[in-house]
Amino acid sequence: MDLRAAPDDSTEAGAPRPSHGLPRLRRGAGFIAALLCVAVLLVVAAGEWAAQSERDAQWDNLRRSGEVQALALRGVATRYNYLPFTTAQHPLVSQLLRHPASQEVRDAANAYLQAVNEHAGSDMLYVMDLEGLTLASSNWDTPSSFVHQNYRNRPYFHDALDGDTGRFYGVGKTTGEPGLFVSAPVRDNGRVIGVVAVKVRMEPIANPWEQLRDPVFVTDARGIVFLGSEPGWLYRTSRPVPAADVQQLQHNEQYGTGWTPRPVPWTLRQQDDQRDDQPGAELRLDGNGKRYLAFEEALPDLGWTLTVTADSRVVAVARQQAWALATLASGLLVLGALYWQLRERRLAENRQARIGLEQRVQERTHALQQAQAFRQSMEDSLLVGMRARDLEGRIVYVNAAMCDMVGYRADELIGQLPPYPYWHPDDLDRHWNDSDTVLAGNAFPQGRENRLRHRDGSDVYTMFYTTRLIDGGGQHIGWMSSVVNITAQKRAEEQQQQRETQLQRVQRVITVGEMASTLAHELNQPLAALVNYAAAARALAAQGKTGPLNDSLEALSAQALRAADIVGRIRRWVRQHPESREPCDLSAIVEQSLELLLRAEARRQGIAVRVEPAGAPLQVHADRVLLEQVVINLGLNALQAMQTHQPPPEGHELRLRLAADNGHALVQVLDRGPGLPPGIAERLFEPFFTTRSDGLGLGLNICRSIIESMGGQLQAHNREGGGAVFEIRLPLTNAPDNP
């Protein structure tokens, strides 16, 4: 390409003109390259943001689903706990165990157990002697009767013989059908003479799970799946089972006579990008590689673990959709730079295409929300108190828990239209508004807190969860509400908050007393300097030396400001204030605590202070003033511990160490005092426990409460070489996701 032009009158013949095309091309190529880099970064960032948002939404849904399913599972598992105990109190059961050979007594006992079982709605109810032999059963007249069957190898039988209540889930030896067995001892003058057991079928819980799209299952304490929506996973192990436990299970015949351990066809592991506020894992099926988000809800009172899952493909779909949108936007940016002359026409076309794509995304999102709302409605109805209303608001059903909650019988509530008798007279406007909103089709999917009035006049605080009531033909016929009594929780929260506020105020007042001597020591220096500078200024004024006089006055003013700053810092620290969380630099908080009190107190006692900073800034989300109070309290305790203790070879020293550890920020307060004796170390954080004659025993307890309210931990242990270490551990706000 010839970059020269023909000479004119003002240019010598044959002399080339300067070329500007090549630098312009280079600038254009650099601009396009920068645009491409920005576009790639935008696409990647948009995909990760969309995936994380969808993952957070899935975890929230799983957490709510796990709580509802766990509540329903616990309700079915504990529904018949009373039945064996009450049956064991009947005189006919004791008479049967004392006279097992009497056919008349056997017939009477069989008839009694059959009647009780039918009335209670349980599966089987039976009585065993001390050898585990069934003497009478509610199914005595069926081909699969438990009578004359021996269950002495079952753990629930031995638990009852020991005088305890037994609970055992397993496959029935006689019927081959699984169920939950609950047992109780039969006593005669304090001596156990037999066992009463009830069998409860868990199908009312497990059968609806089979209709769900994603797997739901329950494992026992050994990790064996015994209940769930996938029949092929039943009685298979999710982790290795010790040989002794395998022998025990085979002896008990818990999962059938021919049971042998077989692993489940999936693996469960923590995700690489899992966060602390998402306590779940990833479940990956063997063979097809399908993945699920898995949330585990522990049921410690039953010894079980409930696991609910959600297909993780929605996260990948969200990421791909975000990539598509971001790629489209980035393409528009690059094309606009390349074809600037066609900017208006191209932007209009692409804007229309983007609107159509967003509409399709919104339609699909709306369809997913509708399906999720239907499933959530079923889950929300499985709570303690149940109330059904027709489309006009008339009550058509209430269960016993709802009647107990408000003090009215079912026949007094059924047929009632608003206002209901249990509405609180002080909240009638709120009740009417909530009722009208629900009947208009605007139920509260997250629940609604309401205050009710019990028949005896007491207040009852509840949470209402309302969903549509659908008949077998799919028609909307009314509204179903689940009601949870939260009265005790509300009162406990209010009392705990008041108690913590009072304790914190008491500790701050105590700390102010301890500050008095140090404050006086700090103010002595500026006050003494003020007196000296004032005397010097008086002498210089008398001599007429204006230059030195001005210097003395400036020094006098500086010392006055220093004294005012000391008093102001103490007043700001002592003043009671509401808790305020904000991002804080932990190093600045430690330095402020040293300047406020600790360094002056250590100087007064002749103890060296050493700070070991971290390699990088430590950002935490905390209440700055309360955190300063904790550091000061721990530092004062360390200085007091070293006052009367003989110094070690390396001498007394107060050391404050800052570090980062596995996503947490650490502040360690180390001293060379006498250390923590074993008897004291175990009770160190108990309220009102103190080793000081003038102490109240509230300081360390309040310090731990403050740190735990910020999501952290406060621990103490002995220091190697003598002394003690108090460690504050708080989550880092700038920490990467834990692997």
Side-chain angles (χ1 to χ4, degrees):
M1 176 179 181
D2 190 0
L3 301 178
R4 294 175 298 174
D8 57 16
D9 294 340
S10 60
T11 307
E12 294 183 2
R17 290 185 176 182
S19 175
H20 301 286
L22 187 58
R24 186 181 298 109
L25 290 175
R26 290 176 179 175
R27 289 195 300 270
F31 177 69
I32 297 301
L35 282 178
L36 290 175
C37 292
V38 171
V40 171
L41 292 176
L42 287 175
V43 169
V44 174
E48 293 306 314
W49 175 84
Q52 187 61 47
S53 298
E54 182 63 29
R55 187 180 293 110
D56 292 342
Q58 289 297 321
W59 281 124
D60 290 339
N61 292 336
L62 283 176
R63 185 180 292 106
R64 289 194 297 269
S65 177
E67 292 173 353
V68 172
Q69 296 289 4
L71 183 61
L73 184 63
R74 185 179 285 108
V76 173
T78 59
R79 181 179 180 182
Y80 295 102
N81 284 355
Y82 72 94
L83 192 56
F85 175 78
T86 56
T87 304
Q89 311 306 315
H90 198 278
L92 189 57
V93 175
S94 301
Q95 185 179 3
L96 172 65
L97 293 169
R98 289 195 299 268
H99 306 286
S102 174
Q103 187 62 38
E104 180 182 356
V105 176
R106 283 174 175 263
D107 294 340
N110 284 328
Y112 168 71
L113 294 176
Q114 186 177 31
V116 172
N117 184 68
E118 291 178 356
H119 180 75
S122 55
D123 189 31
M124 303 293 178
L125 183 64
Y126 50 101
V127 179
M128 296 169 285
D129 62 11
L130 294 176
E131 298 299 326
L133 182 65
T134 303
L135 301 180
S137 173
S138 61
N139 67 341
W140 62 273
D141 56 348
T142 63
S144 58
S145 172
F146 284 11
V147 178
H148 302 309
Q149 299 293 330
N150 195 296
Y151 302 106
R152 65 181 304 168
N153 66 329
R154 295 293 200 173
Y156 68 85
F157 172 74
H158 293 282
D159 291 340
L161 284 185
D162 293 338
D164 298 326
T165 299
R167 180 182 286 110
F168 171 81
Y169 185 92
V171 177
K173 293 178 58 177
T174 304
T175 63
E177 297 178 352
L180 177 65
F181 297 84
V182 182
S183 63
V186 181
R187 303 178 186 272
D188 185 14
N189 295 326
R191 180 174 60 90
V192 177
I193 62 173
V195 175
V196 176
V198 62
K199 179 180 179 181
V200 182
R201 298 174 64 86
M202 302 297 289
E203 282 75 3
I205 286 296
N207 288 342
W209 293 349
E210 297 178 359
Q211 308 302 321
L212 300 180
R213 181 183 60 185
D214 303 320
V216 178
F217 57 91
V218 184
T219 56
D220 61 13
R222 297 183 176 90
I224 300 175
V225 179
F226 67 88
L227 195 66
S229 59
E230 299 292 333
W233 297 359
L234 293 181
Y235 314 136
R236 302 179 73 168
T237 60
S238 61
R239 60 175 181 266
V241 180
D245 289 352
V246 172
Q247 294 178 359
Q248 182 67 29
L249 290 170
Q250 292 173 344
H251 172 73
N252 295 340
E253 301 180 52
Q254 181 169 358
Y255 300 121
T257 56
W259 179 83
T260 55
R262 292 186 304 149
V264 292
W266 44 260
T267 55
L268 189 68
R269 65 179 182 85
Q270 294 292 329
Q271 296 189 98
D272 295 337
D273 56 352
Q274 191 68 27
R275 301 203 315 258
D276 290 341
D277 60 346
Q278 297 176 347
E282 181 184 70
L283 186 146
R284 180 180 299 179
L285 292 180
D286 300 338
N288 59 11
K290 193 171 183 179
R291 301 180 181 181
Y292 295 90
L293 302 177
F295 177 80
E296 295 181 327
E297 180 76 17
L299 306 173
D301 53 334
L302 300 176
W304 302 344
T305 300
L306 170 68
T307 303
V308 294
T309 65
D311 197 339
S312 61
R313 287 182 301 178
V314 295
V315 178
V317 170
R319 180 185 287 111
Q320 293 171 1
Q321 291 177 345
W323 282 345
L325 293 175
T327 302
L328 178 62
S330 301
L332 291 175
L333 178 64
V334 175
L335 289 176
L338 294 175
Y339 302 100
W340 182 260
Q341 66 277 16
L342 302 176
R343 176 175 58 88
E344 294 297 332
R345 183 170 62 86
R346 294 290 179 88
L347 286 178
E349 295 173 354
N350 288 325
R351 187 180 300 111
Q352 293 299 323
R354 187 167 61 254
I355 292 174
L357 180 59
E358 290 176 351
Q359 289 177 345
R360 290 194 296 272
V361 171
Q362 290 177 354
E363 292 172 355
R364 178 165 296 182
T365 302
H366 179 70
L368 292 175
Q369 290 175 345
Q370 290 292 97
Q372 178 63 25
F374 177 77
R375 193 176 84 177
Q376 191 66 40
S377 296
M378 292 190 301
E379 295 169 351
D380 289 344
S381 66
L382 299 174
L383 295 177
V384 179
M386 304 297 297
R387 183 197 66 185
R389 298 187 296 170
D390 61 16
L391 295 175
E392 297 179 356
R394 181 180 289 103
I395 297 177
V396 296
Y397 168 77
V398 289
N399 66 348
M402 183 66 186
C403 294
D404 293 340
M405 198 176 301
V406 298
Y408 293 92
R409 300 192 310 274
D411 58 350
E412 294 176 321
L413 295 178
I414 293 177
Q416 289 279 353
L417 285 168
Y420 305 126
Y422 52 77
W423 278 7
H424 200 284
D426 296 339
D427 297 340
L428 286 179
D429 291 341
R430 176 186 175 90
H431 288 306
W432 276 113
N433 181 65
D434 291 351
S435 180
D436 294 341
T437 301
V438 172
L439 294 178
N442 300 318
F444 304 101
Q446 304 301 328
R448 184 72 166 173
E449 182 177 332
N450 278 307
R451 181 175 58 162
L452 307 181
R453 174 62 60 86
H454 194 273
R455 189 170 194 165
D456 62 7
S458 60
D459 291 348
V460 180
Y461 292 90
T462 61
M463 283 292 295
F464 272 75
Y465 300 86
T466 303
T467 185
R468 292 173 176 263
L469 184 61
I470 308 298
D471 64 5
Q475 295 296 321
H476 176 208
I477 61 174
W479 305 93
M480 175 65 76
S481 296
S482 301
V483 187
V484 179
N485 190 339
I486 61 171
T487 304
Q489 176 185 345
K490 292 278 291 185
R491 292 173 179 171
E493 290 175 355
E494 294 174 357
Q495 293 174 358
Q496 180 65 18
Q497 183 177 4
Q498 294 174 359
R499 187 160 48 250
E500 289 182 358
T501 302
Q502 293 172 356
L503 290 177
Q504 291 177 14
R505 182 61 178 174
V506 168
Q507 177 60 21
R508 296 171 71 85
V509 172
I510 293 173
T511 306
V512 169
E514 296 176 350
M515 283 182 171
S517 60
T518 302
L519 178 61
H521 177 77
E522 284 290 299
L523 291 176
N524 277 340
Q525 294 182 1
L527 292 178
L530 285 173
V531 174
N532 293 334
Y533 284 129
R538 187 183 301 109
L540 293 172
Q543 298 173 8
K545 298 179 178 180
T546 59
L549 175 61
N550 289 333
D551 294 339
S552 296
L553 292 176
E554 289 179 359
L556 188 147
S557 176
Q559 292 299 321
L561 292 175
R562 178 185 173 190
D565 180 63
I566 293 173
V567 174
R569 282 188 296 162
I570 296 298
R571 292 182 61 190
R572 288 192 301 272
W573 189 85
V574 172
R575 185 183 300 115
Q576 186 175 6
H577 67 290
E579 184 177 3
S580 176
R581 302 284 182 85
E582 60 180 340
C584 304
D585 184 356
L586 203 55
S587 301
I589 288 177
V590 171
E591 184 61 32
Q592 178 68 13
S593 302
L594 289 170
E595 292 298 327
L596 186 63
L597 181 60
L598 292 180
R599 187 170 278 122
E601 180 65 17
R603 231 180 5 252
R604 187 173 64 84
Q605 298 183 18
I607 296 176
V609 178
R610 180 180 176 185
V611 179
E612 298 181 5
L618 302 178
Q619 290 289 331
V620 297
H621 195 70
D623 187 300
R624 183 184 304 275
V625 177
L626 289 180
L627 193 52
E628 288 178 2
Q629 176 185 349
V630 173
V631 175
I632 290 175
N633 198 0
L634 296 180
L636 290 175
N637 287 348
L639 294 174
Q640 292 170 357
M642 292 185 288
Q643 279 183 346
T644 59
H645 185 62
Q646 292 296 330
E650 59 270 24
H652 279 157
E653 177 189 61
L654 174 61
R655 180 175 300 184
L656 285 85
R657 179 182 298 158
L658 292 88
D661 178 31
N662 195 23
H664 288 76
L666 303 183
V667 179
Q668 293 181 334
V669 181
L670 305 93
D671 63 56
R672 286 297 184 185
L676 306 174
I680 294 179
E682 297 174 356
R683 305 182 56 193
L684 199 58
F685 295 99
E686 294 182 5
F688 304 108
F689 175 78
T690 179
T691 58
R692 295 165 48 191
S693 59
D694 58 345
L696 293 179
L698 297 176
L700 291 177
N701 177 261
I702 293 176
C703 289
R704 170 173 278 188
S705 299
I706 292 173
I707 297 302
E708 290 179 349
S709 69
M710 301 175 187
Q713 295 178 332
L714 176 59
Q715 300 173 342
H717 57 84
N718 283 322
R719 180 183 180 186
E720 184 177 355
V725 179
F726 283 79
E727 180 181 276
I728 301 173
R729 177 181 290 265
L730 292 170
L732 280 169
T733 58
N734 55 352
D737 293 342
N738 291 332

